[in-house]
Amino acid sequence: MTMRLADIAGHAGVSEATVSRVLNGRPGVAPATRQAVLTALDVLGYERPARLRQQRVGLIGLIVPELTNPIFPAFAQVIENALALAGYTAVLCTQTPGGITEDDYTELLLERGVSGIIFVNGLHADSRSDRARYTRLLDRGLPIVLINGYRADISAPYVSNDDIASLEIAVAHLASLGHRRIGLAVGQERFVPSIRKTEGYRKGMAEHLRTTDVDDLIVDSLFTVEGGQAAAKRLIDQGCTAVCCGSDIIAIGVIRGARQYGIRVPQDLSVVGFDDSPMTAYLDPPLTTVRQPVREMGLAAVGSLLEEINGTPAPRTELLYRPELVVRKSTAPAPAELAVVADTD
């Protein structure tokens, strides 16, 4: 394809002279402008000249639990792109039940001489797992960063969503709509995100509905559609008019389970998901959910890892990111006979 400077300049919003400077590797072009030109090249389908191709400087392992849950491909995309811009190639490792384990992937990555590893919701998020697998990596000087599932007994850089605040936000939203029987469908109780989400739910119920008697309204299940379906029956039987969910996948299961019992969403049952994964706006109904700031978290994880690789130790603390409620069509005022005015004190 013949490269047209005018097309590139028009797409990037710069002059043809600026495009020429970038293509020829000349100095005097701001980094943001240079990136705009490179983006235009990619979008328009032009091959980058050899001098502009990023030189690879090493491999980085990226281990995620699965790809069937859309939130993990979203993390992978952000992290892989950020690493590529820094000159690194991400080696994506995904797990499946009965397949290669996280420990096996770690050994494979070490054999290939990776410069570091980013773990997304890995075994570190299991409060009962052995921390030794991570301390061994740290003791040998391998830079690692852990995303979600903070544990104080693993001295590594952490990047996490504020799961406690997430569920407080969800409960506050439902309470403002007049719901008083609000249930929680969350993952297995041994996982740190589930523990934190449950804590946030309890705090939200205590603050907004002045109740702490919620044990019967909490269902620990699998982070699957089937887990959500099973939770839906139990929570509907408890008289819930609204359900907070530990993931968007669980929320889909809750909606499916409700419909099996002739319960309409949102007229009879309001549902709030968690993650704001890419498909949530296109569900029926579009899902109200708590958005996990995936882009910001992914970029922070890469930044911390690169600091470690470059010899500047990143803080051994947890970077905690504030979530955002995204209101769509799966939540509505509580049925009139069950509604209660939320206490706003």
Side-chain angles (χ1 to χ4, degrees), residues 28-87:
V29 180
T33 302
R34 182 179 184 278
Q35 185 59 51
V37 172
L38 295 179
T39 300
L41 282 173
D42 297 341
V43 171
L44 295 173
Y46 293 127
E47 184 177 354
R48 294 188 185 185
R51 69 176 66 88
L52 297 181
R53 295 172 196 163
Q54 184 73 54
Q55 298 300 309
R56 302 294 97 188
V57 295
L59 302 176
I60 299 293
L62 173 57
I63 302 181
V64 299
E66 57 175 313
L67 292 179
T68 52
N69 185 334
I71 197 62
F72 297 126
F75 267 114
Q77 183 177 25
V78 170
I79 292 169
E80 284 183 311
N81 185 61
L83 288 171
L85 290 175

Side-chain angles (χ1 to χ4, degrees), residues 151-267:
R151 285 173 51 176
D153 61 349
I154 301 175
S155 180
Y158 271 90
V159 177
S160 303
N161 176 76
D162 191 338
D163 291 331
I164 295 175
S166 296
L167 268 294
E168 288 184 277
I169 291 170
V171 171
H173 170 63
L174 293 169
S176 72
L177 293 173
H179 294 277
R180 61 182 178 183
R181 294 288 287 179
I182 301 172
L184 173 65
V186 72
Q188 296 99 309
E189 60 182 349
R190 71 176 188 270
F191 292 112
V192 174
S194 297
I195 294 169
R196 287 182 162 186
K197 288 169 186 172
T198 301
E199 181 182 346
Y201 165 78
R202 289 183 181 276
K203 289 179 67 174
M205 293 294 282
E207 178 180 352
H208 298 285
L209 294 177
R210 301 292 190 263
T211 179
T212 57
D213 184 19
V214 295
D215 289 351
D216 291 340
L217 304 181
I218 299 173
V219 177
D220 297 308
S221 187
L222 298 175
F223 279 104
T224 62
V225 171
E226 293 75 18
Q229 283 182 262
K233 182 180 188 307
R234 290 177 56 184
L235 293 173
I236 289 169
D237 288 345
Q238 288 292 330
C240 290
T241 63
V243 178
C244 300
C245 300
S247 73
D248 292 334
I249 296 296
I250 292 177
I252 292 172
V254 169
I255 293 172
R256 179 186 291 182
R259 287 175 174 165
Q260 289 177 339
Y261 297 102
I263 304 296
R264 301 170 300 168
V265 176
Q267 296 91 335

